[in-house]
Amino acid sequence: MLYFHIAMFLTFQVAANLCFKFGGTAPHHFWWGFGIGNLIGMSSIVFMIMMYRAMPAALVIAIGTGGTFLLNQVAIFLVYRERISTAGCVGLGLILAGILITAFLNNPASIAQQGS
């Protein structure tokens, strides 16, 4: 169930950001993008709360914030064809590495094993 909450949070966050980008493409799209994006974005918080119930806060923040950033970059590239520079790709790789390090090396089980 935890993976479902993570997937739904990330999906809703990406959908909200795509709506915000749509709202920024032309003046007559602004309120549609603003309204729908905020409705979807607010809904994603329910899934984040469920993530906080099941995981340490540092992990929720790493996956939630970092994962959202990574997926938004990919989604904006795919939908709106906005290029990502080489330096941007390196930065995205570093963020992914940070998420993975936090997820796999900074969990309570691994900390308990290191202390033994």
Side-chain angles (χ1 to χ4, degrees), residues 20-70:
F20 295 143
K21 173 65 177 160
F22 172 75
T25 58
H28 59 281
H29 294 154
F30 179 83
W31 290 109
W32 284 106
F34 176 83
I36 296 170
N38 273 295
L39 184 63
I40 294 169
M42 285 187 292
S43 301
S44 74
I45 301 306
V46 171
F47 297 108
M48 180 178 253
I49 291 170
M50 300 306 282
M51 290 165 56
Y52 274 118
R53 283 185 175 177
M55 298 187 299
L59 189 52
V60 173
I61 293 167
I63 292 172
T65 305
T68 297
F69 181 80
L70 288 171

Side-chain angles (χ1 to χ4, degrees), residues 96-114:
L96 178 60
I99 294 169
L100 294 173
I101 288 169
T102 302
F104 293 111
L105 299 179
N106 192 27
N107 64 48
S110 69
I111 293 169
Q113 289 175 350
Q114 290 173 359

